[in-house]
Amino acid sequence: MMAQIVGGYFTSHVPAIGGAIQRGDQQAEYWSPFFDGFPSVRQWLGDVSPDVAVVFYNDHGLNFFLDAMPTFAVGAAARYDNADEGWGLPVYKSFEGHPNLSWHVIETLVEAEFDITTCQKMMVDHALSIPFELAWPDAEAWPVKLVPIAINTVQFPLPSPRRCFALGQAVGRALRSWKGDERIVVMGTGGLSHQLEGARAGFMNPEYDRFCLDHLADDPAALTRHSAEEVAELAGTQGVEILNWIAARGALGDAPLAMVMRNYHVPISNTAAATVVLEPA
């Protein structure tokens, strides 16, 4: 008996998406090109029926701040709460953890010589909660248990795309060696290109975004050819959240994947927003 990775779900996590949900603006002209991509995401999740979500995301100061910012952190808690980060968003539902699977992932990563931070108590912010609200908007309780993996995309020095891909590959090996019958969906959240401050505030790069989307399923190594600094130049200083997508894609394995859906919309709150679902070909 072994766990099964059913596929990957990737999406943006812009706080303004939460505001649109709160206001009921999903079909407003500004928002509908983004939200219209989600019926197919929900259909796919209903079809593959995951039990666990392993989520690569970045914390925005709720759990970690600039005085203590781990490069990679893995949650090993039985419960993860959301809290108000100052965006005025509602506090989202708490998440049930899967501590045993989390410890298996942690042990596998340490054996693979990743120096990670283990969090037996951990909060999760909009970068994780909003993708769940998009995927399961009517759920009274989340239908999956959570293993959260936070990547530093906030404070330099950042991990390289190649290192994040290797992290994902190691997580994938852990999931495939887990002696359980869980069906696991891997999630990557954030981006795509955007910059929120400085002389390039408002910067987006659809050409680079499409490069990432074009190669994610069949040639993910292409996304690792740039340094973290080059990604910041290409995608903006917040566009380095593509590191979360790269790590999640690594966890899905080396074989080319089938693209179930792909959606790209510019802009949402000065951000190039995208959603992708991948599954084994």
Side-chain angles (χ1 to χ4, degrees):
M1 182 171 61
M2 303 294 282
Q4 178 185 357
I5 301 174
V6 298
Y9 159 46
F10 305 75
T11 196
S12 302
H13 63 225
V14 183
I17 296 170
I21 295 171
Q22 186 178 13
R23 295 188 304 272
D25 282 350
Q26 292 92 329
Q27 292 308 307
E29 182 179 0
Y30 182 82
W31 289 103
S32 62
F34 176 72
F35 282 95
D36 286 350
F38 281 91
S40 58
V41 174
R42 296 164 193 152
Q43 177 66 50
W44 178 79
L45 287 167
D47 291 342
V48 299
S49 189
D51 307 299
V52 179
V54 176
V55 185
F56 295 86
Y57 75 108
N58 56 295
D59 184 88
H60 297 78
L62 179 63
N63 201 73
F64 309 114
F65 199 61
L66 302 182
D67 59 345
M69 180 63 67
T71 301
F72 302 126
V74 182
R79 174 189 171 101
Y80 303 93
D81 293 327
N82 179 231
D84 182 8
E85 307 159 59
W87 295 105
L89 298 175
V91 174
Y92 297 111
K93 296 183 286 291
S94 296
F95 298 81
E96 181 183 358
H98 194 323
N100 290 337
L101 178 56
S102 287
W103 279 111
H104 177 68
V105 169
I106 289 162
E107 290 165 3
T108 302
L109 288 175
V110 172
E111 288 173 1
E113 300 184 349
F114 282 92
D115 300 320
I116 58 167
T117 299
T118 298
C119 301
Q120 298 185 62
K121 183 177 181 181
M122 188 179 191
M123 294 186 292
V124 292
D125 70 7
H126 72 270
L128 196 146
S129 296
I130 285 176
F132 272 69
E133 287 286 333
L134 290 166
W136 293 285
D138 302 317
E140 293 184 6
W142 302 124
V144 293
K145 295 181 179 181
L146 175 64
V147 176
I149 302 176
I151 296 176
N152 171 29
T153 70
V154 175
Q155 178 169 264
F156 283 86
L158 303 176
S160 70
R162 183 171 297 180
R163 187 61 171 166
C164 291
F165 190 64
L167 173 81
Q169 289 176 310
V171 170
R173 291 192 293 272
L175 300 179
R176 282 183 283 274
S177 67
W178 173 247
K179 293 179 172 59
D181 60 358
E182 291 91 342
R183 296 170 61 81
I184 301 170
V185 63
V186 175
M187 293 169 55
T189 90
L192 293 181
S193 64
H194 62 300
Q195 180 155 328
L196 304 180
E197 77 293 299
R200 290 206 308 171
F203 172 82
M204 287 172 282
N205 186 350
E207 182 179 357
Y208 176 72
D209 295 336
R210 293 191 180 98
F211 163 80
C212 293
L213 295 171
D214 288 345
H215 290 86
L216 188 67
D218 296 335
D219 184 21
L223 279 65
T224 71
R225 294 170 189 162
H226 301 106
S227 67
E229 291 77 12
E230 288 169 336
V231 172
E233 179 67 26
L234 287 164
T237 49
Q238 282 71 47
V240 295
E241 289 173 349
I242 192 65
L243 295 175
N244 303 327
W245 288 47
I246 291 170
R249 177 59 184 87
L252 295 174
D254 297 330
L257 300 174
M259 187 166 287
V260 177
M261 69 82 64
R262 166 177 169 173
N263 185 40
Y264 182 72
H265 176 49
V266 179
I268 287 179
S269 185
N270 291 328
T271 302
T275 305
V276 169
V277 170
L278 303 178
E279 68 179 7

